[in-house]
Amino acid sequence: MTAIFRLYVEKKAPYAIEAKGLLNDIQDNLRPRDLQNLRVFCRYDIEGVSRLSVKNALYTVFAEPALDLVYWDELPPL
């Protein structure tokens, strides 16, 4: 059985344009009372390669080091 590696990638706050736009759309259209912040994550499930291969490809395939935060296996706490 091969291992499955799960990555979550999130834009750093200054670059989270998609999350800010989505937050504005939700606030304008649905008018929730308490929604102040929204975060967008891209989830990647990688199978059939070694952990070292995933680490080597991390910042060339899945994320950009200057723009993204990467989390292995679990989402960060809120």
Side-chain angles (χ1 to χ4, degrees):
M1 183 167 175
T2 62
I4 299 174
F5 303 102
R6 178 165 287 171
L7 300 175
Y8 293 95
V9 179
E10 173 187 29
K11 292 289 182 201
K12 293 179 180 177
Y15 307 105
I17 305 302
E18 182 182 357
K20 290 174 188 171
L22 187 56
L23 176 63
N24 287 336
D25 284 346
I26 290 171
Q27 287 175 330
D28 290 346
N29 296 313
L30 300 178
R31 302 189 192 283
R33 294 183 184 151
D34 296 332
L35 185 62
Q36 300 295 320
N37 192 18
L38 187 118
R39 298 165 71 184
V40 175
F41 294 89
C42 292
R43 185 182 94 176
Y44 299 97
D45 291 330
I46 305 134
E47 183 178 10
V49 296
S50 69
R51 187 175 184 91
L52 180 60
S53 294
V54 175
K55 283 185 176 184
N56 289 338
L58 188 61
Y59 287 109
T60 57
V61 175
F62 303 104
E64 298 178 63
L67 305 178
D68 297 319
L69 300 169
V70 177
Y71 307 99
W72 286 83
D73 300 322
E74 294 183 10
L75 288 171
L78 298 176

